Amino acid sequence: MHPELEAFAASIADCTGCGLCEGRKQVVFGTGNPHAKIMLVGEGPGANEDKQGEPFVGQAGMLLDKMLIAAGFSRKSNVYIANVVKCRPPQNRDPAAEEISACLDHLREQFRIIRPQIVVCLGRIAAQTLINPNFRVTREHGQFTQKNGVWFMGTYHPAALLRYPANKVDSFADLLQLRDLVEELGLCELDYGG
Ligand code: URA
């Protein structure tokens, strides 16, 4: 479907760039439309993702998919989803700074190939890595900032929404802001799953 992206995925399938390779079942590269103008970036694979080889396939992923479709987005049609680190951190701990920096070139290469116009950071780790090292989700979620011609926005991580559902309202409002920007820029068709 996208030869360059597929070739890149194959080239890092046996990556040993950091210690996370020791505990992983597989590298979780990314999923969705490789021609999408919108990329969502999470933190790193959990147990389900490690097993299935696809980002956000557990409970948090189901919530993410539901919220996305209600706002007009889906991994089948108009977004691409990846993570800051591509291998599962043991016990689902936060990825360490050296693991993030070892993996960051992989994400940069995905950006270079896919060329998203908007990047949505799901949770603190992605937002602090890609937007601002001091990013506070509670304070700065939903704010769009432009870097090198690409719009970035941080919002709640769906796993955090499972733990604290009251924040779903704000998180969904962020997705509606995303939809507004997509419509303003005329980036893609919306998909409500009909
Ligand atoms: N959490 C993430 O940050 N990414 C996934 O792929 C799954 C859960």
Side-chain angles (χ1 to χ4, degrees), residues 170-188:
D170 281 351
S171 179
F172 189 62
D174 295 345
L175 293 181
L176 295 181
Q177 300 242 72
L178 170 67
R179 180 178 69 184
D180 287 347
L181 182 60
V182 164
E183 289 195 305
E184 191 185 314
L185 300 175
L187 284 189
C188 63

PDB file of all heavy atoms in Angstrom, residues 170-188:
ATOM      1  N   ASP A 170     -13.540  16.754  28.016  1.00  0.00           N
ATOM      2  CA  ASP A 170     -12.496  17.651  27.501  1.00  0.00           C
ATOM      3  C   ASP A 170     -11.757  17.008  26.328  1.00  0.00           C
ATOM      4  O   ASP A 170     -11.407  17.680  25.352  1.00  0.00           O
ATOM      5  CB  ASP A 170     -11.472  17.967  28.592  1.00  0.00           C
ATOM      6  CG  ASP A 170     -11.985  19.025  29.556  1.00  0.00           C
ATOM      7  OD1 ASP A 170     -13.050  19.614  29.276  1.00  0.00           O
ATOM      8  OD2 ASP A 170     -11.322  19.242  30.584  1.00  0.00           O
ATOM      9  N   SER A 171     -11.516  15.710  26.456  1.00  0.00           N
ATOM     10  CA  SER A 171     -10.773  15.012  25.421  1.00  0.00           C
ATOM     11  C   SER A 171     -11.561  14.998  24.102  1.00  0.00           C
ATOM     12  O   SER A 171     -10.999  15.209  23.015  1.00  0.00           O
ATOM     13  CB  SER A 171     -10.502  13.592  25.912  1.00  0.00           C
ATOM     14  OG  SER A 171      -9.814  12.879  24.953  1.00  0.00           O
ATOM     15  N   PHE A 172     -12.866  14.783  24.219  1.00  0.00           N
ATOM     16  CA  PHE A 172     -13.692  14.779  23.006  1.00  0.00           C
ATOM     17  C   PHE A 172     -13.763  16.188  22.410  1.00  0.00           C
ATOM     18  O   PHE A 172     -13.733  16.345  21.180  1.00  0.00           O
ATOM     19  CB  PHE A 172     -15.090  14.216  23.297  1.00  0.00           C
ATOM     20  CG  PHE A 172     -15.885  14.004  22.051  1.00  0.00           C
ATOM     21  CD1 PHE A 172     -15.450  13.102  21.074  1.00  0.00           C
ATOM     22  CD2 PHE A 172     -17.050  14.718  21.812  1.00  0.00           C
ATOM     23  CE1 PHE A 172     -16.159  12.921  19.894  1.00  0.00           C
ATOM     24  CE2 PHE A 172     -17.776  14.538  20.626  1.00  0.00           C
ATOM     25  CZ  PHE A 172     -17.318  13.638  19.673  1.00  0.00           C
ATOM     26  N   ALA A 173     -13.811  17.185  23.272  1.00  0.00           N
ATOM     27  CA  ALA A 173     -13.804  18.572  22.775  1.00  0.00           C
ATOM     28  C   ALA A 173     -12.510  18.831  21.979  1.00  0.00           C
ATOM     29  O   ALA A 173     -12.528  19.527  20.957  1.00  0.00           O
ATOM     30  CB  ALA A 173     -13.928  19.552  23.937  1.00  0.00           C
ATOM     31  N   ASP A 174     -11.403  18.226  22.425  1.00  0.00           N
ATOM     32  CA  ASP A 174     -10.137  18.378  21.681  1.00  0.00           C
ATOM     33  C   ASP A 174     -10.256  17.764  20.284  1.00  0.00           C
ATOM     34  O   ASP A 174      -9.762  18.328  19.297  1.00  0.00           O
ATOM     35  CB  ASP A 174      -8.979  17.704  22.432  1.00  0.00           C
ATOM     36  CG  ASP A 174      -8.671  18.374  23.764  1.00  0.00           C
ATOM     37  OD1 ASP A 174      -9.135  19.507  23.987  1.00  0.00           O
ATOM     38  OD2 ASP A 174      -7.958  17.743  24.587  1.00  0.00           O
ATOM     39  N   LEU A 175     -10.930  16.611  20.218  1.00  0.00           N
ATOM     40  CA  LEU A 175     -11.102  15.964  18.902  1.00  0.00           C
ATOM     41  C   LEU A 175     -12.014  16.792  17.999  1.00  0.00           C
ATOM     42  O   LEU A 175     -11.851  16.803  16.773  1.00  0.00           O
ATOM     43  CB  LEU A 175     -11.641  14.542  19.062  1.00  0.00           C
ATOM     44  CG  LEU A 175     -10.693  13.537  19.723  1.00  0.00           C
ATOM     45  CD1 LEU A 175     -11.351  12.150  19.800  1.00  0.00           C
ATOM     46  CD2 LEU A 175      -9.371  13.440  18.957  1.00  0.00           C
ATOM     47  N   LEU A 176     -12.978  17.471  18.612  1.00  0.00           N
ATOM     48  CA  LEU A 176     -13.838  18.334  17.797  1.00  0.00           C
ATOM     49  C   LEU A 176     -13.063  19.552  17.280  1.00  0.00           C
ATOM     50  O   LEU A 176     -13.304  20.042  16.173  1.00  0.00           O
ATOM     51  CB  LEU A 176     -15.079  18.765  18.587  1.00  0.00           C
ATOM     52  CG  LEU A 176     -16.032  17.613  18.961  1.00  0.00           C
ATOM     53  CD1 LEU A 176     -17.246  18.139  19.725  1.00  0.00           C
ATOM     54  CD2 LEU A 176     -16.490  16.827  17.727  1.00  0.00           C
ATOM     55  N   GLN A 177     -12.122  20.020  18.084  1.00  0.00           N
ATOM     56  CA  GLN A 177     -11.223  21.108  17.610  1.00  0.00           C
ATOM     57  C   GLN A 177     -10.385  20.612  16.450  1.00  0.00           C
ATOM     58  O   GLN A 177     -10.120  21.336  15.493  1.00  0.00           O
ATOM     59  CB  GLN A 177     -10.260  21.505  18.720  1.00  0.00           C
ATOM     60  CG  GLN A 177     -10.900  22.012  19.955  1.00  0.00           C
ATOM     61  CD  GLN A 177     -10.448  23.445  20.158  1.00  0.00           C
ATOM     62  OE1 GLN A 177     -10.886  24.336  19.423  1.00  0.00           O
ATOM     63  NE2 GLN A 177      -9.568  23.648  21.107  1.00  0.00           N
ATOM     64  N   LEU A 178      -9.931  19.357  16.574  1.00  0.00           N
ATOM     65  CA  LEU A 178      -9.170  18.737  15.475  1.00  0.00           C
ATOM     66  C   LEU A 178     -10.026  18.716  14.215  1.00  0.00           C
ATOM     67  O   LEU A 178      -9.577  19.083  13.129  1.00  0.00           O
ATOM     68  CB  LEU A 178      -8.751  17.310  15.879  1.00  0.00           C
ATOM     69  CG  LEU A 178      -8.164  16.435  14.766  1.00  0.00           C
ATOM     70  CD1 LEU A 178      -6.818  16.969  14.308  1.00  0.00           C
ATOM     71  CD2 LEU A 178      -8.011  14.979  15.239  1.00  0.00           C
ATOM     72  N   ARG A 179     -11.281  18.293  14.380  1.00  0.00           N
ATOM     73  CA  ARG A 179     -12.182  18.255  13.224  1.00  0.00           C
ATOM     74  C   ARG A 179     -12.354  19.645  12.611  1.00  0.00           C
ATOM     75  O   ARG A 179     -12.329  19.788  11.376  1.00  0.00           O
ATOM     76  CB  ARG A 179     -13.549  17.697  13.649  1.00  0.00           C
ATOM     77  CG  ARG A 179     -14.530  17.640  12.506  1.00  0.00           C
ATOM     78  CD  ARG A 179     -15.850  17.060  12.915  1.00  0.00           C
ATOM     79  NE  ARG A 179     -16.576  17.945  13.818  1.00  0.00           N
ATOM     80  CZ  ARG A 179     -17.731  17.637  14.394  1.00  0.00           C
ATOM     81  NH1 ARG A 179     -18.281  16.453  14.198  1.00  0.00           N
ATOM     82  NH2 ARG A 179     -18.341  18.484  15.188  1.00  0.00           N
ATOM     83  N   ASP A 180     -12.506  20.665  13.463  1.00  0.00           N
ATOM     84  CA  ASP A 180     -12.652  22.037  12.951  1.00  0.00           C
ATOM     85  C   ASP A 180     -11.430  22.432  12.115  1.00  0.00           C
ATOM     86  O   ASP A 180     -11.571  23.022  11.042  1.00  0.00           O
ATOM     87  CB  ASP A 180     -12.800  23.039  14.103  1.00  0.00           C
ATOM     88  CG  ASP A 180     -14.165  22.944  14.770  1.00  0.00           C
ATOM     89  OD1 ASP A 180     -15.061  22.285  14.194  1.00  0.00           O
ATOM     90  OD2 ASP A 180     -14.327  23.507  15.870  1.00  0.00           O
ATOM     91  N   LEU A 181     -10.240  22.110  12.619  1.00  0.00           N
ATOM     92  CA  LEU A 181      -9.020  22.489  11.891  1.00  0.00           C
ATOM     93  C   LEU A 181      -8.922  21.715  10.569  1.00  0.00           C
ATOM     94  O   LEU A 181      -8.550  22.282   9.533  1.00  0.00           O
ATOM     95  CB  LEU A 181      -7.779  22.230  12.769  1.00  0.00           C
ATOM     96  CG  LEU A 181      -6.439  22.620  12.144  1.00  0.00           C
ATOM     97  CD1 LEU A 181      -6.379  24.121  11.812  1.00  0.00           C
ATOM     98  CD2 LEU A 181      -5.265  22.250  13.072  1.00  0.00           C
ATOM     99  N   VAL A 182      -9.291  20.447  10.615  1.00  0.00           N
ATOM    100  CA  VAL A 182      -9.259  19.626   9.396  1.00  0.00           C
ATOM    101  C   VAL A 182     -10.201  20.209   8.341  1.00  0.00           C
ATOM    102  O   VAL A 182      -9.861  20.284   7.154  1.00  0.00           O
ATOM    103  CB  VAL A 182      -9.642  18.163   9.741  1.00  0.00           C
ATOM    104  CG1 VAL A 182     -10.010  17.364   8.502  1.00  0.00           C
ATOM    105  CG2 VAL A 182      -8.499  17.490  10.487  1.00  0.00           C
ATOM    106  N   GLU A 183     -11.372  20.650   8.815  1.00  0.00           N
ATOM    107  CA  GLU A 183     -12.337  21.225   7.859  1.00  0.00           C
ATOM    108  C   GLU A 183     -11.845  22.567   7.330  1.00  0.00           C
ATOM    109  O   GLU A 183     -11.946  22.850   6.140  1.00  0.00           O
ATOM    110  CB  GLU A 183     -13.707  21.358   8.524  1.00  0.00           C
ATOM    111  CG  GLU A 183     -14.343  19.987   8.724  1.00  0.00           C
ATOM    112  CD  GLU A 183     -15.818  20.068   9.047  1.00  0.00           C
ATOM    113  OE1 GLU A 183     -16.167  20.773  10.011  1.00  0.00           O
ATOM    114  OE2 GLU A 183     -16.601  19.404   8.334  1.00  0.00           O
ATOM    115  N   GLU A 184     -11.272  23.358   8.227  1.00  0.00           N
ATOM    116  CA  GLU A 184     -10.749  24.671   7.831  1.00  0.00           C
ATOM    117  C   GLU A 184      -9.639  24.525   6.784  1.00  0.00           C
ATOM    118  O   GLU A 184      -9.578  25.271   5.813  1.00  0.00           O
ATOM    119  CB  GLU A 184     -10.204  25.352   9.088  1.00  0.00           C
ATOM    120  CG  GLU A 184      -9.854  26.805   8.949  1.00  0.00           C
ATOM    121  CD  GLU A 184      -9.208  27.315  10.242  1.00  0.00           C
ATOM    122  OE1 GLU A 184      -9.731  27.016  11.345  1.00  0.00           O
ATOM    123  OE2 GLU A 184      -8.164  27.998  10.124  1.00  0.00           O
ATOM    124  N   LEU A 185      -8.789  23.526   6.989  1.00  0.00           N
ATOM    125  CA  LEU A 185      -7.671  23.324   6.057  1.00  0.00           C
ATOM    126  C   LEU A 185      -8.075  22.465   4.855  1.00  0.00           C
ATOM    127  O   LEU A 185      -7.292  22.298   3.927  1.00  0.00           O
ATOM    128  CB  LEU A 185      -6.487  22.659   6.780  1.00  0.00           C
ATOM    129  CG  LEU A 185      -5.877  23.421   7.976  1.00  0.00           C
ATOM    130  CD1 LEU A 185      -4.802  22.586   8.657  1.00  0.00           C
ATOM    131  CD2 LEU A 185      -5.288  24.759   7.520  1.00  0.00           C
ATOM    132  N   GLY A 186      -9.285  21.894   4.918  1.00  0.00           N
ATOM    133  CA  GLY A 186      -9.752  21.012   3.831  1.00  0.00           C
ATOM    134  C   GLY A 186      -8.855  19.794   3.649  1.00  0.00           C
ATOM    135  O   GLY A 186      -8.542  19.405   2.520  1.00  0.00           O
ATOM    136  N   LEU A 187      -8.458  19.178   4.776  1.00  0.00           N
ATOM    137  CA  LEU A 187      -7.433  18.125   4.706  1.00  0.00           C
ATOM    138  C   LEU A 187      -7.931  16.768   4.242  1.00  0.00           C
ATOM    139  O   LEU A 187      -7.222  16.044   3.565  1.00  0.00           O
ATOM    140  CB  LEU A 187      -6.783  17.930   6.087  1.00  0.00           C
ATOM    141  CG  LEU A 187      -5.784  18.974   6.530  1.00  0.00           C
ATOM    142  CD1 LEU A 187      -5.089  18.503   7.792  1.00  0.00           C
ATOM    143  CD2 LEU A 187      -4.760  19.246   5.437  1.00  0.00           C
ATOM    144  N   CYS A 188      -9.133  16.393   4.678  1.00  0.00           N
ATOM    145  CA  CYS A 188      -9.606  15.047   4.312  1.00  0.00           C
ATOM    146  C   CYS A 188     -11.113  14.951   4.510  1.00  0.00           C
ATOM    147  O   CYS A 188     -11.720  15.805   5.135  1.00  0.00           O
ATOM    148  CB  CYS A 188      -8.899  13.970   5.146  1.00  0.00           C
ATOM    149  SG  CYS A 188      -9.225  14.082   6.907  1.00  0.00           S
TER     150      CYS A 188
END
